[in-house]
Amino acid sequence: MPIDSSIYFQQQPLDIAGSIERGLSMRQMIDQRQKQQGLQDAYKAGIVQQPDGTSTFNSNVTISDLAKRGYGQEAMALQKQANEDALNKQKLQKEKVLEASGYIANAAPKVKENPQAYYPVFLTEAKNRGIDISQFPTVWNNDAALKMDYAHKTALSLMDQHKIDQGKAEFGLKQQDLSLKQTGQKLDYGDKAEGRKIDWAKVGIDRKK
């Protein structure tokens, strides 16, 4: 039986480009898995076991671990998130303190005027609002009067300081707005001289003001 010599020429040509692409895809997949494992290990490093058995997350440990592994972008993102969380926590805490101060500032004069009627109400309401009343006696006496007077003065002081801080913040915003307007005027003069028009909305300046 004669041999068909054409079978020796039926092999597929080498797909060099395809082999390289498949090799790159495999390398990328391996790198991605390694990165994923590295991120998981970094986050696990930030988990701290407390003596009472609970767990907390220390973002600073994870941020440091990410940076050591070369994941700078992820470390910066986590740092930004941690900063935002800290600011939000401070804001909530400040709001809670101001709310408590406002209640004490309003309630204290009534308690001082008629302690027998209003002091028990004050203790109950303050406790319901989450205010620490452990320093106050359960019944009205000289110590309770001193504690109430101190709490009243402290509350008024905190509220006054809050108003001062608000005033400073508003003044800072007005200064920024004035600076923007002055910058806009300078741009406006140069713009008119060169016969161009500026889209003020794009530069964040309200020309109507």
Side-chain angles (χ1 to χ4, degrees):
M1 180 178 180
I3 299 175
D4 186 357
S5 60
S6 64
I7 61 175
Y8 298 106
F9 303 98
Q10 292 177 1
Q11 297 181 6
Q12 294 293 329
L14 292 175
D15 185 3
I16 298 176
S19 298
I20 294 175
E21 183 177 353
R22 286 191 295 273
L24 289 174
S25 298
M26 181 64 69
R27 178 72 261 176
Q28 291 172 350
M29 184 174 66
I30 294 174
D31 289 344
Q32 185 64 30
R33 288 181 178 176
Q34 290 178 343
K35 180 178 181 180
Q36 189 66 29
Q37 185 62 49
L39 292 176
Q40 290 179 0
D41 291 342
Y43 275 88
K44 287 180 181 178
I47 300 176
V48 181
Q49 294 291 335
Q50 300 298 328
D52 60 358
T54 60
S55 299
T56 59
F57 181 67
N58 188 330
S59 60
N60 291 330
V61 174
T62 293
I63 291 169
S64 177
D65 198 291
L66 287 171
K68 290 178 182 178
R69 294 172 184 271
Y71 303 136
Q73 186 174 357
E74 288 77 6
M76 291 177 62
L78 182 57
Q79 182 66 70
K80 181 181 178 181
Q81 183 62 49
N83 292 341
E84 291 177 353
D85 291 344
L87 287 175
N88 289 333
K89 185 177 181 180
Q90 290 178 1
K91 182 180 178 181
L92 290 174
Q93 183 63 27
K94 186 175 182 179
E95 290 176 351
K96 185 177 180 180
V97 171
L98 287 173
E99 183 180 350
S101 297
Y103 170 72
I104 293 174
N106 291 326
K110 295 180 180 179
V111 173
K112 292 178 182 179
E113 181 180 355
N114 190 348
Q116 300 303 323
Y118 289 108
Y119 187 63
V121 176
F122 164 77
L123 293 178
T124 301
E125 182 64 21
K127 184 178 180 180
N128 292 338
R129 290 171 176 266
I131 300 174
D132 182 13
I133 58 172
S134 59
Q135 61 176 323
F136 291 96
T138 56
V139 295
W140 184 260
N141 52 31
N142 290 335
D143 186 37
L146 291 173
K147 292 292 195 313
M148 180 60 68
D149 188 55
Y150 177 77
H152 188 199
K153 291 178 179 179
T154 301
L156 291 175
S157 178
L158 287 172
M159 294 177 70
D160 287 342
Q161 185 59 49
H162 177 62
K163 290 179 181 179
I164 293 174
D165 292 341
Q166 276 189 322
K168 289 181 178 179
E170 291 175 0
F171 178 76
L173 290 175
K174 288 180 180 179
Q175 289 294 102
Q176 291 180 6
D177 186 55
L178 177 61
S179 177
L180 282 173
K181 288 183 178 179
Q182 290 175 343
T183 302
Q185 289 174 355
K186 292 178 181 179
L187 290 172
D188 197 10
Y189 296 147
D191 176 68
K192 289 179 179 178
E194 298 181 18
R196 296 194 304 268
K197 295 185 68 175
I198 293 177
D199 187 349
W200 296 106
K202 289 184 178 180
V203 296
I205 299 176
D206 187 356
R207 300 290 291 164
K208 295 180 181 180
K209 294 183 179 179

